[in-house]
Amino acid sequence: MTFRAKLRTILRKNRRRAALQADDRTIPLSDTVTIRPITPSDRAEWERLWDLYLEFYHTSVTPEIKASSFARLLGDDPQDFNGLIAEVDGKPVGLVHYLFHRHGWKVENVCYLQDLYADPEVRGTGVGRALIEAVYERADAAGAPTVYWLTQEDNATARKLYDRIAKKTDFIKYQRAL
């Protein structure tokens, strides 16, 4: 069976499971998704996923920024980003980048989830949720009581998930105009 055929079978099973979960929160979304830290051998697949993520937001970065970002994900500086890969049947299908930082209103660090992406073929199967929950687990382990992120207002598909697993705040983002 080809990877695509296996993935379709897994996705059909996960969609049924996700539909059941709407009524019963005890059913796991996916027992076929593996979440693990990014490793040096992930470079090509990480870049593929990150390019698709950036394309979704109608942007791109230079090769220098890609190299710097990947190196930071692999580094040991606690101020740098961390990265996780989601795999289905051993194939990378999603990524998340997050970092811990100080906050003026808390003693503990907080966690900022900057980038989250799942291949279109796996959306709605629990991959995005599994990535966010993996960040939640790492934040809990690090003693960071808050995990937060931003999304575009018109990102309706992702916001359906976010509305189920997080609380929308009233803050509006402003950014320096150059």
Side-chain angles (χ1 to χ4, degrees):
M1 181 182 283
T2 68
F3 174 76
R4 204 173 237 347
K6 283 184 196 176
L7 185 57
R8 275 195 299 270
T9 301
I10 290 167
L11 296 180
R12 273 195 298 274
K13 181 173 80 172
N14 287 347
R15 282 193 184 105
R16 283 192 300 271
R17 189 177 290 153
L20 290 171
Q21 186 179 11
D23 295 323
D24 181 357
R25 295 287 177 202
T26 64
I27 299 171
L29 280 175
S30 175
D31 55 2
T32 59
V33 177
T34 302
I35 307 295
R36 61 169 179 77
I38 292 174
T39 66
S41 64
D42 290 321
R43 175 68 191 261
E45 284 296 305
W46 169 84
E47 193 166 317
R48 177 186 70 81
L49 292 165
W50 201 39
D51 282 344
L52 290 168
Y53 168 79
L54 295 170
E55 184 180 304
F56 177 83
Y57 282 109
H58 309 289
T59 193
S60 62
V61 297
T62 66
E64 177 184 33
I65 291 175
K66 284 181 190 177
S68 172
S69 294
F70 193 72
R72 288 176 178 169
L73 288 167
L74 298 176
D76 57 4
D77 183 337
Q79 299 302 310
D80 274 343
F81 283 89
N82 300 280
L84 303 171
I85 290 279
E87 291 181 335
V88 172
D89 217 18
K91 179 178 180 0
V93 295
L95 63 73
V96 67
H97 303 151
Y98 62 97
L99 71 93
F100 297 102
H101 66 88
R102 297 192 187 280
H103 192 288
W105 298 356
K106 297 181 183 337
V107 172
E108 310 88 357
N109 281 346
V110 298
C111 182
Y112 174 53
L113 188 159
Q114 182 172 17
D115 305 316
L116 174 69
Y117 183 78
D119 271 333
E121 297 85 23
V122 299
R123 291 186 189 150
T125 66
V127 169
R129 181 182 188 131
L131 285 162
I132 292 170
E133 288 179 347
V135 172
Y136 284 174
E137 289 171 12
R138 282 152 179 85
D140 290 346
T146 302
V147 176
Y148 72 100
W149 61 92
L150 306 170
T151 195
Q152 289 182 330
E153 191 169 350
D154 65 351
N155 192 357
T157 301
R159 289 184 63 192
K160 287 178 188 174
L161 168 63
Y162 303 161
D163 287 343
R164 286 194 307 270
I165 64 172
K167 178 184 170 204
K168 181 180 171 284
T169 71
D170 294 329
F171 281 88
I172 298 170
K173 177 186 175 191
Y174 283 86
Q175 184 169 305
R176 178 182 177 187
L178 299 177

